[in-house]
Amino acid sequence: PEVLSVDGASTLHKMLQDGPVFVKFFAPWCGHCKKLAPTWEQLSAKAAQKQVAIQVAEVDCTAGDNKELCGLFSVKSFPQMKLLQADGEDSVGVVPYQGGRTLQEMFDFVISFHSKAVPAKARVKLVNGAGKEDL
């Protein structure tokens, strides 16, 4: 399975309706992002193989509608990984990933949220496909 590509808030909103999404926010010119890319693809494959009900996706913060989306999720450096889960109609629970960059470390993080609610560190609102911060 491929890493899912997010193209704006409406795409992310649809993904979240299918369950939690572990998102990598990146920029194509970022060296650390390029280094992480193969591991991110391996994570997506391993999650699918182990039937973990969490989608693995990425957001190119330099592309069109994604600039606003990255701002909404307070992405200020690259890469940033965050676990997102729908929390009501238009609200999204956010847990920033601050662990290591190995496949096993990221997989252990994903597994820790498999089949249970994500204890969000922050909440963000997605309104009508356009992002808007919930203050």
Side-chain angles (χ1 to χ4, degrees):
E2 291 182 18
V3 171
L4 302 170
S5 183
V6 176
D7 184 23
S10 60
T11 304
L12 180 59
H13 189 265
K14 288 175 190 163
M15 287 179 183
L16 287 165
Q17 291 173 349
D18 292 331
V21 184
F22 192 27
V23 179
K24 174 184 73 173
F25 294 91
F26 77 102
W29 46 260
C30 165
H32 293 293
C33 300
K34 291 176 186 177
K35 185 176 178 186
L36 181 62
T39 307
W40 199 249
E41 290 169 10
Q42 292 168 355
L43 177 63
S44 180
K46 186 170 184 174
Q49 176 190 15
K50 301 287 186 182
Q51 298 182 336
V52 176
I54 292 179
Q55 304 163 84
V56 178
E58 62 186 13
V59 176
D60 176 352
C61 291
T62 68
D65 293 340
N66 288 343
K67 291 177 186 176
E68 182 181 353
L69 188 62
C70 292
L72 176 69
F73 285 100
S74 303
V75 176
K76 294 178 176 51
S77 62
F78 305 110
Q80 274 193 26
M81 288 85 76
K82 299 176 188 252
L83 184 66
L84 311 177
Q85 182 175 27
D87 184 24
E89 184 69 25
D90 292 317
S91 185
V92 179
V94 182
V95 179
Y97 176 72
Q98 299 175 339
R101 302 276 171 93
T102 69
L103 174 60
Q104 192 59 51
E105 289 168 313
M106 291 188 290
F107 186 72
D108 289 346
F109 175 78
V110 166
I111 276 294
S112 72
F113 293 106
H114 180 61
S115 300
K116 61 182 175 183
V118 176
K121 302 291 183 198
R123 297 233 183 318
V124 169
K125 277 208 183 245
L126 294 176
V127 181
N128 298 327
K132 185 170 128 183
E133 195 162 355
D134 184 15
L135 301 175

